[in-house]
Amino acid sequence: MSEERYGEFVLVRRHGHVAELALDRPKAMNAVSTAMARSIGAACAALGDDRDVRAVVVTSTHERAFCVGADLKERNSFTDADLVRQRPVARGAYTGVLELPVPTVAAVHGFALGGGFELALSCDLIVADGTALVGLPEVSVGVIPGGGGTQLLPRRVGAARAAELIFTARRVEAAEARELGLVDVLVENGRDREEALALGARIAANSPVGLRAAKKALRLGHGLDLRAGLEVEDAAWRSVAFSGDRAEGVAAFNEKRSPQWPGE
């Protein structure tokens, strides 16, 4: 396993074809400061360009929190001009995770609130343990979810449920979060990282060309009418149908062996 640090607060570990993006600001429970947001964006840009990466798992090094959201202590010192200048940096962190071209999994335990939950929502799948406490409480401090929450949450749980959760600013414990679809997999306490990495490994065993195309089709087709969505799917199919991965996959199936993906 290799490690690479992006700034002071983000650590990337490589587990074969799975990249683990670890939020590593334990003294602040991973509150997203300007510096940390910049590092998340930089790490995502590097991972997105790395053709050896087939899945990304977002984790936390803090024992009691995934991420508590924006660094409000830092924000408290901002002038209006500071806030305007910081906004593109903050957005870059969330869009960096959201726009990763490979499947992404969040491993959530403890607090995942505000921007912290938005980082998880930006992933394709969320694995949580029984300690997870999630929510978008921004209206309780006079703002709104600004890391994609107002758009990502209704896509997960529907417009009315998202409205209730955002307007009340309530926090949701793990069991209810699983019931509502706020998280996808609920595991034993302390096993969120292990299970998320195992899920990432199962994903990464598949064709890298197929994974990227399938994610693109899922993301671009969501919300379109059926006819338009099928056109998106057809375009994605055409992008893989004549690839080396497709040829290897068919050959491996017929020869009853594990595929050796060329990744092209």
Side-chain angles (χ1 to χ4, degrees):
M1 181 179 68
S2 64
E3 294 186 349
E4 183 177 3
R5 186 165 288 279
Y6 289 80
E8 185 179 356
F9 305 126
V10 174
L11 180 64
V12 172
R13 301 185 179 108
R14 303 300 183 106
H15 308 265
H17 294 293
V18 179
E20 178 186 3
L21 192 161
L23 307 176
D24 187 31
R25 195 185 178 205
K27 291 182 179 180
M29 301 183 83
N30 290 330
V32 182
S33 63
T34 304
M36 186 173 179
R38 188 175 288 112
S39 294
I40 292 171
C44 288
L47 292 173
D49 289 339
D50 189 339
R51 301 297 296 191
D52 197 47
V53 174
R54 299 181 190 173
V56 174
V57 178
V58 182
T59 68
S60 163
T61 63
H62 195 285
E63 293 182 355
R64 296 189 294 110
F66 175 71
C67 173
V68 294
D71 186 344
L72 297 185
K73 290 183 178 179
E74 180 188 62
R75 295 275 182 92
N76 193 46
S77 68
F78 279 5
T79 65
D80 289 351
D82 291 333
L83 191 59
V84 169
R85 282 192 293 268
Q86 196 245 14
R87 177 60 175 163
V89 179
R91 286 195 70 187
Y94 302 106
T95 57
V97 176
L98 183 65
E99 294 177 359
L100 280 166
V102 297
T104 51
V105 183
V108 173
H109 60 266
F111 299 110
L113 301 172
F117 189 40
E118 287 173 307
L119 286 173
L121 289 172
S122 296
C123 295
D124 299 300
L125 296 165
I126 302 174
V127 176
D129 79 0
T131 69
L133 186 67
V134 306
L136 297 175
E138 283 87 346
V139 297
S140 69
V141 293
V143 291
I144 70 167
T150 65
Q151 305 305 304
L152 295 170
L153 190 59
R155 284 167 166 78
R156 265 190 166 267
V157 300
R161 179 66 69 191
E164 183 263 323
L165 292 168
I166 290 171
F167 294 162
T168 63
R170 74 182 179 94
R171 303 178 179 194
V172 183
E173 295 183 351
E176 185 185 4
R178 176 66 184 89
E179 181 181 343
L180 297 179
L182 298 173
V183 304
D184 303 299
V185 181
L186 190 59
V187 300
E188 294 178 5
N189 291 3
R191 291 180 58 87
D192 54 292
R193 176 178 177 268
E194 178 183 351
E195 295 291 344
L197 286 170
L199 177 57
R202 290 197 297 274
I203 291 169
N206 296 303
S207 158
V209 171
L211 288 171
R212 286 176 178 245
K215 177 163 180 172
K216 187 174 183 180
L218 283 164
R219 286 289 177 91
L220 293 182
H222 186 88
L224 299 179
D225 65 62
L226 180 59
R227 185 179 296 275
L230 290 173
E231 290 302 315
V232 168
E233 181 183 82
D234 185 65
W237 179 87
R238 291 176 185 277
S239 74
V240 301
F242 310 104
S243 68
D245 273 15
R246 194 277 308 169
E248 169 62 9
V250 172
F253 176 84
N254 283 287
E255 294 166 15
K256 296 180 173 58
R257 59 174 175 82
S258 297
Q260 301 297 314
W261 304 114
E264 58 185 22

